[in-house]
Amino acid sequence: YVYIFKDIQPESSWYRAGLRDGDRLLTIDQRNAILITDEEMRSLMDERTTAVTCEVIWHPELFLELSHG
């Protein structure tokens, strides 16, 4: 999977950490994000009580504005 952040809310911890729409997650706790399944990712993020270390990069060519309709 490739994880692209979208709809980062200004009041969220993600926003306060500096993440913005279009940022691509490269690693989380030194694990390659591409190798982490969606289920694992949810588990990593939902069950956290301590800080995580993430490496991100802005990839505008990978960010697609998705519309419903």
Side-chain angles (χ1 to χ4, degrees):
Y1 290 98
V2 174
Y3 296 94
I4 306 290
F5 289 91
K6 185 175 186 316
D7 296 327
I8 301 292
Q9 301 299 310
E11 65 278 358
S12 71
S13 58
W14 295 107
Y15 189 91
R16 287 189 301 276
L19 293 170
R20 299 296 182 266
D21 288 355
D23 284 349
R24 176 181 171 205
L25 182 63
L26 298 177
T27 64
I28 183 166
D29 286 344
Q30 299 180 344
R31 292 181 62 195
N32 186 336
I34 292 174
L35 302 176
I36 299 173
T37 66
D38 192 43
E39 185 176 303
E40 282 182 287
M41 182 63 72
R42 284 198 171 102
S43 177
L44 283 169
M45 302 316 294
D46 290 343
E47 297 174 9
R48 279 291 174 175
T49 57
T50 60
V52 295
T53 301
C54 297
E55 182 181 3
V56 298
I57 189 168
W58 168 239
H59 254 291
E61 68 273 11
L62 294 178
F63 181 67
L64 302 174
E65 187 62 42
L66 302 176
S67 62
H68 298 13

